Amino acid sequence: MATISDVASLAGVSTATVSRALNGKSTVDPELAARVLAAARELGYQPNGPARNLRRQEAAVIALIISDVENPFFTAIARGVEDVAHAVGYSVVLCNADENADKERRYVDVAIQERVAGVIMSPTPTATNVDLLINRGTPLVAVDRPLPERPSDTVLVDTRLAAREATEHLMTQGYQRIGCVTGPSGVRTADDRLAGYRDALRAARMKSSPRLVRRTEFKAAGANRAAQDLLAQPEPPDALLVANSAMAIGVLAALNEASRRPGRDVGVVAFDDVPWAELVDPPLTVVAQPAYEIGTVAAQLLLARIADNTRAATTTTLGARLIERESSHRGDLP
Amino acid sequence: MATISDVASLAGVSTATVSRALNGKSTVDPELAARVLAAARELGYQPNGPARNLRRQEAAVIALIISDVENPFFTAIARGVEDVAHAVGYSVVLCNADENADKERRYVDVAIQERVAGVIMSPTPTATNVDLLINRGTPLVAVDRPLPERPSDTVLVDTRLAAREATEHLMTQGYQRIGCVTGPSGVRTADDRLAGYRDALRAARMKSSPRLVRRTEFKAAGANRAAQDLLAQPEPPDALLVANSAMAIGVLAALNEASRRPGRDVGVVAFDDVPWAELVDPPLTVVAQPAYEIGTVAAQLLLARIADNTRAATTTTLGARLIERESSHRGDLP
DNA sequence: CACGGTGGAGTAATCGTTTTCTCAGAAGCT
DNA sequence: AGCTTCTGAGAAAACGATTACTCCACCGTG
């Protein structure tokens, strides 16, 4: 594996010159530079990253720690981050914390040890050992959920308002007993969506009942049980607000099994616009979150903070958009 | 940022002893070890990764370069790789090449420069500069598609056979003019699925016509246009084999727009079982590939090769499973 | 002409580990 | 006791880049 000194001796110059020629940090004689380039190419020279990072005390890498690689919402964020980061020469490494505090801890440790330039993450409720990051002054941006207790740059969606609007939309459609299936307590987005749901009920002077609300992990299986459970009650809900797309799958499956048709029998609005939302029968009404944009904004904030870590922490809140389809239309029932 | 010598002086020992105590490579006096551990904890010591990797000449990291983060098939592979790698102390960094040879090149360069322990990738048809990896002797496993021209450990699905069986299934159901929407020429899985489709036609002595086949990128938009195009013909297909789940979305949308019902009017089988396959109307018949298992097997092969790079290259071929649902059932038409 | 300034290249220090030596002392053996 | 063997710990040499310094030659100016 060719090193910089191999290149240097082949080109007949010093390692310093090779470094300068290759990085363009300082001007070198064009003729020497050409010799260096030729030598590097001939040897197939690839700089040793660890050595470079050790000396520079920083890697041109940003770590993106997301809570679920299988959730299209997060992969869309990832694409946004990548596009911005690559444009300015940073690499992005994607880490899948899987809504698991241990894995999150582990990846944060890796990020610290590898001395990445910055971290973007959607923190778990405990957000264990992000303090380590903060104490070290590693630039950090939280996405989707704020960091509990600690200030930091944050990119959020006004999900409480969106949940309220979605619920109000269901009311407008004439649904009377609206239920909610949301994520685990402590996960900010789950809490906010529930709060927005309650905001809407309160504003309409509808009484909210715990029997209409279920909380489970953000997965299809849990939501499926929750929905079955809701529907089995004496007075089942006639509409449901569902907190993400994986859950929507579980809920729709439960409705199928119970032979209730979305829209006609039970109104459904789910968070996250997914490619298949228009294909299910009836098409699914969704709250579309600007996931890609969350990624681009987060990456820009992170780059700005890498450049200047003294800026005050900012919170950017993006809006969501209700996309009405048939799953929230009652039809012409009395 | 505390270094190993800070720990050493706080514990009153040499850096060598600290290193040994922390890595457990050699025996150190239990009392000293305890002092070291205490000092490390007190200082919040985190080893400097680049320095360690520089010295060790290898990072405990494996790079996973996939062609599309937004494709559930690849994210499932990623989870398989992660689970195996983490169990033995390796970190996984996920890189999204986005079916783009440039991005792939870039990530391969990063992998080389960072001296990762190994690489798992689903190569683009050109697979630019994997030669670099091979020449350097970096352990490499190809998944989903073989590396063109070069031998390497490979984990594949017998996708040609699966395509054949899926097509035969459509024949059994009574469809007469079966079409195929597959991916770009050169991408092995796209070619194989087309070949399997043709195998089935040939075996049944049905004539295959280029007018029944369309190739486009593995995305919904392209498949949508392809399907519209197929359906607009004078003699449109009465069934379609679709090469992945994103394409299935485009195809199903086209059928909707053309008011043709999957199953009854046009039989549909798509590759990749996705969570929403049972929710569309009618439920989608799919070829389920063992994605998670591809990931675990690939990771095991890679670890074996990291341990011993002299082994001969092996190819593991896993089977796929047809899951029959209604989109490939004609009903009782004459 | 002398002198300061400048540009370009080399020398060597440096980053923070791991690991090879080296060595002292303990232990085992005859 | 005298010898070898072994154990455990410290000193110091890597690892391969970047970069602060140094030095030389050359240029322009007073």
Side-chain angles (χ1 to χ4, degrees), chain A residues 161-244:
Chain A
L161 178 62
R164 174 177 178 160
E165 289 173 352
T167 309
E168 286 170 347
H169 162 70
L170 287 167
M171 293 173 179
T172 309
Q173 294 297 315
Y175 296 102
Q176 313 271 347
R177 286 181 60 77
I178 303 172
C180 179
V181 180
T182 189
S185 169
V187 178
R188 178 64 165 267
T189 47
D191 292 343
D192 277 0
R193 286 165 200 176
L194 180 57
Y197 158 81
R198 287 188 174 138
D199 289 345
L201 294 189
R202 200 173 314 117
R205 311 214 184 288
M206 286 170 74
K207 59 172 184 290
S208 83
S209 152
R211 270 173 299 157
L212 292 175
V213 174
R214 289 294 181 281
R215 310 194 72 145
T216 114
E217 51 168 14
F218 271 125
K219 299 274 173 69
N224 186 264
R225 282 188 299 273
Q228 285 176 0
D229 194 35
L230 282 167
L231 295 171
Q233 297 180 110
E235 289 188 291
D238 65 356
L240 288 172
L241 177 66
V242 184
N244 91 350

Side-chain angles (χ1 to χ4, degrees), chain B:
Chain B
M1 191 108 57
T3 74
I4 199 173
S5 21
D6 298 333
V7 177
S9 50
L10 181 57
V13 299
S14 72
T15 63
T17 302
V18 174
S19 174
R20 288 189 276 248
L22 259 31
N23 295 305
K25 287 296 180 190
S26 162
T27 103
V28 319
D29 186 284
E31 197 252 337
L32 285 193
R35 288 219 313 265
V36 168
L37 240 60
R41 204 185 318 274
E42 180 178 341
L43 293 172
Y45 171 69
Q46 292 268 24
N48 182 310
R52 157 179 292 177
N53 297 338
L54 171 56
R55 175 61 225 218
R56 287 207 187 145
Q57 296 289 68
E58 168 177 300
V61 169
I62 79 186
L64 172 59
I65 305 176
I66 62 181
S67 13
D68 184 4
V69 258
E70 301 204 270
N71 185 335
F73 172 68
F74 290 112
T75 53
I77 291 180
R79 289 214 310 107
V81 171
E82 276 181 343
D83 287 351
V84 171
H86 283 174
V88 297
Y90 279 82
S91 299
V92 176
V93 308
L94 191 54
C95 310
N96 176 30
D98 219 9
E99 293 287 9
N100 174 328
D102 269 352
K103 288 195 186 176
E104 178 183 271
R105 253 243 306 283
R106 174 169 189 160
Y107 278 120
V108 170
D109 278 344
V110 171
I112 293 173
Q113 292 184 7
E114 298 302 324
R115 309 299 198 254
V116 300
V119 176
I120 298 177
M121 69 188 301
S122 58
T124 62
T126 50
T128 345
N129 82 352
V130 293
D131 291 319
L132 290 181
L133 282 174
I134 293 174
N135 294 341
R136 265 160 223 278
T138 305
L140 173 63
V141 175
V143 288
D144 186 49
R145 317 161 183 178
L147 226 45
E149 314 278 315
R150 311 170 194 77
S152 76
D153 283 326
T154 308
V155 184
L156 303 175
V157 170
D158 193 345
T159 201
R160 180 169 181 164
L161 178 63
R164 174 176 178 160
E165 289 173 351
T167 309
E168 286 170 346
H169 163 71
L170 286 167
M171 293 173 179
T172 309
Q173 293 296 315
Y175 297 101
Q176 313 271 347
R177 286 181 60 78
I178 302 173
C180 179
V181 180
T182 188
S185 168
V187 177
R188 179 66 166 267
T189 46
D191 292 344
D192 277 359
R193 286 164 200 178
L194 179 57
Y197 157 83
R198 288 189 174 137
D199 290 344
L201 294 189
R202 200 172 314 117
R205 311 214 183 288
M206 286 170 72
K207 61 175 181 291
S208 83
S209 151
R211 271 172 300 157
L212 292 176
V213 173
R214 289 294 182 282
R215 310 195 69 143
T216 113
E217 50 167 15
F218 272 126
K219 299 272 173 69
N224 186 262
R225 281 189 298 274
Q228 285 176 1
D229 194 36
L230 283 167
L231 294 171
Q233 297 179 109
E235 288 189 292
D238 65 357
L240 288 172
L241 177 66
V242 184
N244 91 349
S245 63
M247 288 180 143
I249 289 173
V251 169
L252 293 177
L255 290 175
N256 264 351
E257 286 161 37
S259 303
R260 319 253 181 124
R261 185 172 165 78
R264 190 192 61 196
D265 301 327
V266 181
V268 179
V269 180
F271 270 76
D272 294 343
D273 194 22
V274 280
W276 49 267
E278 299 196 85
L279 293 178
V280 294
D281 180 45
L284 185 63
T285 295
V286 298
V287 176
Q289 300 192 80
Y292 180 86
E293 194 185 350
I294 293 174
T296 58
V297 171
Q300 281 154 359
L301 283 172
L302 188 70
L303 292 172
R305 185 158 288 281
I306 289 171
D308 169 16
N309 206 347
T310 64
R311 297 167 45 257
T314 65
T315 295
T316 306
T317 305
L318 305 175
R321 195 170 95 254
L322 184 74
I323 301 180
E324 293 184 33
R325 303 199 180 96
E326 270 88 84
S327 73
S328 60
H329 289 171
R330 261 195 129 182
D332 318 276
L333 291 189

Side-chain angles (χ1 to χ4, degrees), chain A residues 273-284 286 323 325, chain B residues 249 252-253 256 280:
Chain A
D273 194 23
V274 280
W276 49 266
E278 298 195 86
L279 294 178
V280 294
D281 179 43
L284 185 64
V286 297
I323 301 180
R325 302 199 180 98
Chain B
I249 289 173
L252 293 177
N256 264 351
V280 294

Side-chain angles (χ1 to χ4, degrees), chain A residues 4 19 23 45 48 52 55:
Chain A
I4 198 171
S19 174
N23 295 305
Y45 171 68
N48 181 310
R52 159 180 289 176
R55 175 63 224 220

Side-chain angles (χ1 to χ4, degrees), chain A residues 124-317:
Chain A
T124 61
T126 50
T128 345
N129 84 350
V130 294
D131 290 318
L132 291 181
L133 282 173
I134 294 175
N135 293 341
R136 265 160 221 277
T138 305
L140 173 64
V141 175
V143 290
D144 186 49
R145 317 162 183 179
L147 227 45
E149 314 279 314
R150 313 172 194 76
S152 77
D153 282 327
T154 307
V155 184
L156 303 174
V157 171
D158 193 345
T159 202
R160 179 168 182 166
L161 178 62
R164 174 177 178 160
E165 289 173 352
T167 309
E168 286 170 347
H169 162 70
L170 287 167
M171 293 173 179
T172 309
Q173 294 297 315
Y175 296 102
Q176 313 271 347
R177 286 181 60 77
I178 303 172
C180 179
V181 180
T182 189
S185 169
V187 178
R188 178 64 165 267
T189 47
D191 292 343
D192 277 0
R193 286 165 200 176
L194 180 57
Y197 158 81
R198 287 188 174 138
D199 289 345
L201 294 189
R202 200 173 314 117
R205 311 214 184 288
M206 286 170 74
K207 59 172 184 290
S208 83
S209 152
R211 270 173 299 157
L212 292 175
V213 174
R214 289 294 181 281
R215 310 194 72 145
T216 114
E217 51 168 14
F218 271 125
K219 299 274 173 69
N224 186 264
R225 282 188 299 273
Q228 285 176 0
D229 194 35
L230 282 167
L231 295 171
Q233 297 180 110
E235 289 188 291
D238 65 356
L240 288 172
L241 177 66
V242 184
N244 91 350
S245 63
M247 289 179 141
I249 288 172
V251 168
L252 292 177
L255 290 175
N256 265 349
E257 286 161 38
S259 303
R260 319 254 181 126
R261 186 172 165 77
R264 189 191 61 196
D265 301 326
V266 180
V268 178
V269 179
F271 270 77
D272 293 343
D273 194 23
V274 280
W276 49 266
E278 298 195 86
L279 294 178
V280 294
D281 179 43
L284 185 64
T285 296
V286 297
V287 176
Q289 300 193 82
Y292 180 85
E293 196 186 351
I294 293 174
T296 58
V297 171
Q300 282 154 357
L301 283 173
L302 188 71
L303 292 171
R305 185 158 290 279
I306 288 171
D308 169 15
N309 206 347
T310 63
R311 298 165 46 255
T314 65
T315 294
T316 307
T317 305

